[in-house]
Amino acid sequence: MKRTSHGAALCPIARSLDVIGDWWSLLIVRNAMMGTRRFGDFQKQLGVAKNILSARLRTLAEHGIIATAPASDGSAYKEYVLTAKGRALFPVLVALRQWGEEFAYQPGESFSKLVDRETRLPLRKLEIRSRDGRLLQQGDTTVVMSA
Amino acid sequence: MKRTSHGAALCPIARSLDVIGDWWSLLIVRNAMMGTRRFGDFQKQLGVAKNILSARLRTLAEHGIIATAPASDGSAYKEYVLTAKGRALFPVLVALRQWGEEFAYQPGESFSKLVDRETRLPLRKLEIRSRDGRLLQQGDTTVVMSA
């Protein structure tokens, strides 16, 4: 399917989706956050075709989300590591996860949970807050053009 | 491109992407949040082909993210309105927006800003917090299977 590029978009949501709005990209980023570093491991974990994984890793690298590094064990393998820009996608993954937890499972279905490493308790739900700390709903917000 | 369905996925991120991980879906949800209700308006605003827009609206409706309602002005038009499940995607859009604001523009480029309707100030950056309120980085978290 032909994709319209929103690279010229004035809206940061569209601009973000232009970079990571691809089916596999966020799953690659998710697995990289959980510690996956090698092509073969991404491939096995995601069950994705090699050519698609190659293309997605290349795009993520071009956008500075992932970088390649020599293998940590000194072998000839190349490893893929998130950059600061890539690690900054964590709130996007948390938001997708929390929405999925609430709406995408039937009662009784199991799913993985993101927990605080220290207490093993689930995280607090993401809150949208004003600069001065008030809890906001979508209707309390509006979109304006920045200078 | 063939898409693998992650409908059976144990990970809520994959499950969410199975529903809204499509190029257009989140942009449709974004515009619906900003008040767009009619097919022709979505089409004009997004510059998307009619057949693709139809298909995406149908999928969003099948997943209970958007519902159809009679036109608010009593005309024969059908309108599309977000459900509670659709409105709950707001944190996903805020997370994508904040990442885009920070990483997807060159210095000096303009972009739209989500502001507090009352103060006209940008929102606070999303924070990942533990249940007891500590600020967490990704490395402070881990994924476990729920019962």
Side-chain angles (χ1 to χ4, degrees), chain A residues 10 16 96 113 116 134 144, chain B residues 16 96 112-113 116 134 144:
Chain A
L10 291 170
S16 291
L96 283 167
K113 262 196 137 52
D116 179 355
R134 281 168 297 118
V144 298
Chain B
S16 290
L96 284 167
S112 68
K113 261 197 139 52
D116 179 354
R134 282 169 296 118
V144 297

Side-chain angles (χ1 to χ4, degrees), chain B residues 50-68:
Chain B
K50 280 184 190 188
N51 61 326
I52 294 175
L53 179 59
S54 284
R56 292 303 169 278
L57 285 168
R58 202 179 315 119
T59 305
L60 289 170
E62 280 165 10
H63 287 288
I65 290 168
I66 216 160
T68 51

